[in-house]
Amino acid sequence: MGGARLALGLTLSLILQPALPIFAQPTPPQPAAPPFVTGPEDGQWVIPQKNFANTRYSDLSEINTETVKNLQVAFTFSTGVNRGQESAPLVVGSTMYVLSPYPNILYALDLTQPGAPMKWQYNPKPAAAAQGVACCDVVNRGPTFANGRIYFTTLDAHVVAVNADTGEEVWKTKLGDINRGETMTMAPLIVRDKVFVGISGGEYGVRGWIEALNAEDGKSVWKAYNTGPDQDVKIGPTFKPFYDSDKGKDLGVTTWPADAWQQGGGTVWGWLSYDPDLNLLYHGTGNPGPWNPNQRPGDNKWTAGIFARDADTGEARWFYQTSPHDLHDWDNVNEMILLDMEWDGQPRKVMVHPGRTGFVYVIDRTNGEVLSAKPFHALTSVTGVDLKTGRLQTNPEKEPVNNRVIRDICPTAPGAKDWNPSAFSHKTGLLYIPHMNMCMDWESVEPNYIAGTPYIGAEVRMMPGPGGHMGEFTAWDIREGKELWTINERFPLWSGALATAGDVVFYGTMDGWFKAVHARSGEVLWQFKVDSGIIGQPTTYRGPDGKQYVAILSGVGGWAGSIVSADLDPRDGTAAKGFVNAMRELKNVTTKGGTLYVFKLP
Amino acid sequence: MRQLLILSLSVLALAACEREDREYRANPVTSETEEKIALSPLSAGPSGPTEQRSGLGQQYEENAYHIAQGKRLYIWFNCNGCHAHGGGDSGPPLLDDRWIYGGQIENIVQTIREGRPNGMPSFRGKVPDDQIWQIAAYVRSMGRNVPKPAAPGRNDDMHPGPAEQRRPPGEVMDGGQIPPAAQMPQ
């Protein structure tokens, strides 16, 4: 069946579904980026998310629907590492910063010189043993610039601050222990004098947390756990969740079997957003541990949800759980895009969140109320979100039973969409979502907790979803809660998206195509074949010569691509937690890589 | 023809007796077998490396009981979390013919006991010595580097591929393959 599906996928891939006409601006208007991110474009790209609202939109428009067809390579650069490149190239002033996967080498490139030669490199020399406890390839999701420094995390759970001019280490601090399965892969977020980072390791029974460090010296300012007693979670009198199921004392303990919260997951490894007007930091929490839900009856607070916290103190303000008693590894780590929009005639401050559960959530970011949750993926295991209780509705037939293989569960463990971020165009008002189209078979088995080894308890086999293709790039109308157009791709989309004022949207595919598509029609305007599959985050900037450039890292890998980056054996469908079953063909179309590509107009 | 059949059946039956052989007095946790093995086919001086095997390895990998126990323990100690059912994950595949640290049973015992630098945990003191040998024998069976009658015949859980017994006999390349983890600068 898999073969037939795949063959079908081949013929369908790259075929555009008919584009719907965009109607003349109907009322009410499309959502808009909040004022705190709509200032004049400075032509830089200083944090992976581009801005605190996570819109990944640039006002540059030299590269537009007319000119994009002439894009050509300006320069390339090898990261020297052949593992999955999920990072975003940053540009600050006339310097570009590129961060490799483990061993997390930071390179600075001089954009004022022809060919952008290397200015310096900084090697934090992380512990090699950390590779064993990296669940999903040895990736890193990017460095962040602030206050004249580059901040980033290393696989062996250190945070470093490096002088952005000289490459000298300013401080380096250890926040986790690889012997307990703790690693770091996320891009930190810096707000004023604080660096926010979280721990990875939801597949190793890590107890998740987020921490604020002093940007000056790396000392801890506050730390909040996502399981356990209220005091550890920083839940106090100012915590006002919208739904009743999140109200009560010490739910981080009482919604678990005795002491299970100690290995309960709820890690923080995804995208952070920040609203300066509300002074709220938004972060997701990862899947509960272990994956096998039968080991942990209860809602497993505060995993698989969204926290809003006071950025200064870490005090929780509200929480919303996208997947209570999570059944299928649905971390809630995906991007939360902060927008302003009209809802039922009222202006609302919202966050838009395409979740692993298969729904695009529109949530009031002042109080955590879910305004809508509309599906963007084929669903068999979930049926909807009850807007009265906020609760995810699951299909009992697809719920895991120990030692029984349950078939055709959609979406899969990596979700309808994993970490790879969408982009929101300030101009079209649409959301561009790179995501998957996959289903899986799942068997729950009893896991053993042994510190420093995986704590999962599930056998998984993934396969293509309806239609046979595994990736989709979707333009999403947030207000209507529906897709406008979709481009099907043969392999899952594991790269981020970039939106620009030129009405061109960029993304990359795992078979190595970097694509520019029309933001309104979805027509592919330009594409370029790079040396290895793309799972990175495209960025754009204005160079010292005044021209617009677009940058992307190639180098396949990540959970989806580890069959190639870690050279896994395709004969075992359960390899890479079941992803290999769907990705066998990837070995025949691409090889490992690690190359920066930068494009410009002639 | 019929005689041949009877002959081969009785040979099979005899072999089956041995393949089920169990040892009831296992080594206590503290004791550790010490095989003299080399990780490299190259040695100083014209002759090959000096190695001395006690024959213990052969006993384990020709014995269906040990391999079956190894299969259970492989899951019990979470090897599958990092190596899946041999196809690999954060750890390298074990069912292929490429070995970083050697694919003989003695090498594998060493790997499990001591750990390896790019993220293979050391299980010394956590897993009793005889169980390490059983797990190593099972690892050998993944690529069918053990006799067919001794290899496991079916899976209790989701079938990732054909059972070990039905896989074609494998061949082990020398150690020293570059691990994916080592393919990096510095």
Side-chain angles (χ1 to χ4, degrees):
Chain A
M1 184 172 75
R5 275 183 177 174
L6 199 67
L8 191 63
L10 292 186
T11 50
L12 281 181
S13 67
L14 305 183
I15 296 177
L16 206 63
Q17 290 175 0
L20 298 175
I22 305 292
F23 305 105
Q25 283 291 318
T27 47
Q30 289 287 5
F36 59 84
V37 298
T38 52
E41 176 63 55
D42 62 6
Q44 306 186 100
W45 198 285
V46 301
I47 69 173
Q49 303 95 315
K50 173 67 177 175
N51 51 44
F52 285 153
N54 279 243
T55 59
R56 292 171 188 271
Y57 168 84
S58 167
D59 234 356
L60 299 179
S61 59
E62 184 197 350
I63 298 169
N64 55 43
T65 53
E66 294 298 312
T67 59
V68 67
K69 62 177 183 294
N70 299 320
L71 271 188
Q72 60 186 42
V73 175
F75 62 92
T76 63
F77 175 78
S78 167
T79 67
V81 184
N82 272 341
R83 301 300 294 261
Q85 315 275 335
E86 289 188 354
S87 174
L90 302 185
V91 172
V92 182
S94 56
T95 307
M96 175 178 283
Y97 299 93
V98 177
L99 182 62
S100 82
Y102 169 88
N104 307 124
I105 304 169
L106 178 68
Y107 301 97
L109 309 180
D110 183 355
L111 298 176
T112 65
Q113 303 295 319
M118 201 197 305
K119 278 167 96 170
W120 47 258
Q121 58 174 294
Y122 166 77
N123 188 346
K125 302 197 177 74
Q131 297 168 95
V133 280
C135 80
C136 311
D137 201 0
V138 294
V139 297
N140 187 291
R141 304 198 175 82
T144 304
F145 171 84
N147 318 321
R149 292 172 187 167
I150 299 286
Y151 298 87
F152 66 96
T153 58
T154 66
L155 193 64
D156 64 346
H158 288 66
V159 182
V160 286
V162 174
N163 182 313
D165 289 330
T166 64
E168 279 163 330
E169 182 180 298
V170 182
W171 53 259
K172 179 173 176 183
T173 181
K174 181 181 177 209
L175 296 184
D177 179 2
I178 56 170
N179 254 315
R180 290 204 310 256
E182 295 172 335
T183 54
M184 280 188 180
T185 54
M186 71 180 284
L189 183 74
I190 289 86
V191 174
R192 295 188 299 271
D193 58 345
K194 289 188 191 64
V195 181
F196 300 110
V197 286
I199 199 77
S200 303
E203 280 60 55
Y204 299 81
V206 166
R207 181 186 177 204
W209 48 257
I210 182 166
E211 188 162 357
L213 307 175
N214 185 330
E216 229 11 78
D217 54 17
K219 298 241 160 61
S220 178
V221 181
W222 56 257
K223 181 172 181 176
Y225 285 92
N226 297 325
T227 69
D230 282 353
Q231 198 183 355
D232 294 6
V233 186
K234 290 200 156 286
I235 284 179
T238 56
F239 181 59
K240 303 262 179 325
F242 193 83
Y243 299 102
D244 287 344
S245 53
D246 298 313
K247 296 172 185 162
K249 196 172 155 23
D250 290 330
L251 295 181
V253 174
T254 59
T255 58
W256 294 88
D259 286 338
W261 55 270
Q262 311 244 28
Q263 289 91 38
T267 53
V268 179
W269 56 273
W271 298 109
L272 306 180
S273 315
Y274 173 69
D275 183 328
D277 299 332
L278 302 169
N279 194 32
L280 287 184
L281 172 73
Y282 301 103
H283 72 87
T285 62
N287 62 282
W291 283 13
N292 180 356
N294 306 325
Q295 304 294 121
R296 43 175 173 79
D299 272 359
N300 312 132
K301 305 281 181 207
W302 306 87
T303 65
I306 301 171
F307 264 119
R309 295 183 184 275
D310 181 300
D312 290 321
T313 64
E315 292 294 329
R317 289 292 175 73
W318 58 258
F319 176 82
Y320 169 65
Q321 197 167 28
T322 42
S323 185
H325 183 63
D326 175 50
L327 299 179
H328 292 125
D329 182 37
W330 290 336
D331 300 69
N332 194 94
V333 292
N334 294 355
E335 65 283 5
M336 290 166 269
I337 296 157
L338 311 187
L339 302 175
D340 290 348
M341 71 186 288
E342 219 177 282
W343 194 264
D344 287 341
Q346 298 297 314
R348 300 287 280 259
K349 290 173 188 277
V350 301
M351 66 164 61
V352 177
H353 170 77
R356 274 166 92 134
T357 52
F359 300 92
V360 177
Y361 296 83
V362 180
I363 298 173
D364 184 323
R365 71 174 182 271
T366 64
N367 63 4
E369 176 187 4
V370 179
L371 305 179
S372 86
K374 291 286 169 58
F376 68 103
H377 189 283
L379 307 173
T380 63
S381 57
V382 290
T383 52
V385 175
D386 180 343
L387 293 184
K388 284 217 180 61
T389 60
R391 202 168 176 94
L392 182 67
Q393 306 294 302
T394 54
N395 173 0
E397 278 172 30
K398 301 294 178 186
E399 284 174 16
V401 178
N402 273 11
N403 305 317
R404 189 197 301 165
V405 180
I406 313 275
R407 292 176 196 280
D408 284 318
I409 297 168
C410 332
T412 54
K417 174 188 166 303
D418 204 302
W419 72 279
N420 46 319
S422 328
F424 172 81
S425 167
H426 299 193
K427 222 172 136 197
T428 63
L430 301 176
L431 187 66
Y432 300 91
I433 314 174
H435 62 103
M436 288 181 269
N437 173 50
M438 297 180 74
C439 300
M440 66 176 170
D441 297 342
W442 174 296
E443 179 190 1
S444 273
V445 291
E446 205 170 309
N448 271 340
Y449 178 74
I450 306 174
T453 74
Y455 187 48
I456 294 178
E459 302 280 347
V460 178
R461 249 182 341 218
M462 300 181 209
M463 52 247 166
H469 58 286
M470 291 190 272
E472 293 187 357
F473 189 75
T474 295
W476 185 263
D477 184 322
I478 298 165
R479 190 194 44 213
E480 300 289 327
K482 62 173 211 278
E483 64 178 53
L484 283 182
W485 48 260
T486 290
I487 301 171
N488 293 345
E489 297 286 355
R490 178 179 175 189
F491 292 106
L493 282 187
W494 209 258
S495 100
L498 161 68
T500 66
D503 266 353
V504 186
V505 183
F506 293 88
Y507 70 97
T509 66
M510 292 188 74
D511 48 358
W513 287 98
F514 188 46
K515 298 191 176 185
V517 303
H518 198 299
R520 294 174 194 275
S521 68
E523 185 191 346
V524 178
L525 300 170
W526 170 86
Q527 56 182 345
F528 184 87
K529 180 75 166 53
V530 295
D531 62 351
S532 169
I534 297 176
I535 58 161
Q537 306 165 50
T539 60
T540 186
Y541 64 95
R542 193 190 298 116
D545 57 359
K547 294 179 75 87
Q548 184 185 356
Y549 292 76
V550 179
I552 183 74
L553 284 166
S554 81
V556 84
W559 184 1
S562 58
I563 180 167
V564 171
S565 63
D567 224 341
L568 305 183
D569 197 313
R571 287 174 292 172
D572 175 5
T574 63
K577 298 166 194 69
F579 232 131
V580 161
N581 195 58
M583 302 300 287
R584 292 189 166 106
E585 289 294 313
L586 192 64
K587 274 200 163 173
N588 302 333
V589 301
T590 189
T591 56
K592 303 175 206 198
T595 307
L596 167 76
Y597 283 81
V598 179
F599 301 92
K600 69 170 205 297
L601 294 172
Chain B
M1 186 65 216
R2 174 171 298 172
Q3 272 167 340
L4 192 66
L5 190 71
I6 290 171
L7 186 70
S8 49
L9 273 180
S10 49
V11 166
L12 261 181
L14 274 175
C17 281
E18 226 168 84
R19 79 181 257 284
E20 292 288 356
D21 230 13
R22 304 179 187 197
E23 264 188 62
Y24 291 100
R25 260 171 302 148
N27 301 326
V29 191
T30 43
S31 79
E32 208 172 80
T33 46
E34 281 177 32
E35 302 286 308
K36 295 200 175 70
I37 53 162
L39 195 53
S40 166
L42 201 60
S43 74
S47 61
T50 311
E51 297 195 305
Q52 238 173 14
R53 292 181 163 79
S54 66
L56 191 65
Q58 208 180 341
Q59 278 175 36
Y60 274 94
E61 65 186 33
E62 288 179 356
N63 185 300
Y65 168 74
H66 285 316
I67 295 176
Q69 287 296 40
K71 181 165 183 165
R72 187 177 61 78
L73 295 166
Y74 179 87
I75 308 286
W76 185 257
F77 289 110
N78 291 349
C79 311
N80 62 328
C82 293
H83 295 281
H85 292 286
D89 197 319
S90 66
L94 302 176
L95 65 76
D96 61 5
D97 57 0
R98 300 193 305 157
W99 295 89
I100 310 164
Y101 302 105
Q104 304 304 327
I105 188 167
E106 295 84 1
N107 299 121
I108 297 170
V109 165
Q110 204 111 316
T111 293
I112 299 171
R113 216 185 255 155
E114 297 183 2
R116 298 296 186 191
N118 291 303
M120 168 71 194
S122 161
F123 285 84
R124 174 175 279 125
K126 315 282 162 70
V127 182
D129 202 57
D130 63 314
Q131 296 192 349
I132 292 184
W133 280 93
Q134 290 177 329
I135 297 172
Y138 169 61
V139 169
R140 289 270 296 164
S141 81
M142 286 178 162
R144 258 276 272 120
N145 295 305
V146 303
K148 191 179 170 82
R154 61 178 288 273
N155 255 341
D156 289 339
D157 292 300
M158 184 185 279
H159 288 260
E164 290 81 352
Q165 208 172 60
R166 303 174 62 195
R167 295 176 193 165
E171 214 180 304
V172 174
M173 318 249 298
D174 275 334
Q177 293 290 320
I178 300 174
Q183 292 173 351
M184 51 147 184
Q186 271 107 19

